[in-house]
Amino acid sequence: MKQIYIFLSLLLFFNISIKAQFSIDPAQPYPVCNASDVQNKVHAFSVNGSEYLATWIDKRNGSAGSALYIQHLDSSGVPLLSANGQAIYTT
């Protein structure tokens, strides 16, 4: 788990440019997370030039606290982790 924190810290430290991918069909957007309540402080990083990691602060559990979530996306924008991301740290 310590290695994940170091990896994420390095990603946040270095400014990595990425390209956003948007659906041309508004009826079928590419949501990274559509869980209820509040998600903010979103950051996205290129992993190997074709895949991406997205991280965000999530308050989907309301007053129970916040969590840091992550989602791994393939080159087509398809999520590779569980739907609505995976919690990697909770308060």
Side-chain angles (χ1 to χ4, degrees):
M1 191 58 118
K2 181 179 177 184
Q3 294 164 334
I4 291 174
Y5 294 131
I6 292 171
F7 176 71
L8 290 174
S9 297
L10 289 172
L11 287 177
L12 291 172
F13 181 74
F14 293 104
N15 183 10
I16 301 171
S17 65
I18 62 171
K19 298 176 185 174
Q21 181 172 350
F22 298 97
S23 171
I24 59 172
D25 183 359
Q28 295 186 352
Y30 297 137
V32 173
C33 175
N34 60 2
S36 62
D37 220 334
V38 177
Q39 291 80 35
N40 57 25
K41 306 286 185 191
V42 178
H43 296 279
F45 309 94
S46 174
V47 175
N48 59 14
S50 64
E51 295 180 356
Y52 302 92
L53 288 177
T55 61
W56 65 94
I57 304 296
D58 199 304
K59 295 185 179 248
R60 68 180 72 174
N61 294 325
S63 61
S66 299
L68 176 62
Y69 274 75
I70 189 167
Q71 182 59 271
H72 187 182
L73 304 157
D74 70 9
S75 60
S76 297
V78 175
L80 300 176
L81 299 176
S82 57
N84 293 321
Q86 179 176 339
I88 58 173
Y89 180 79
T90 58
T91 60

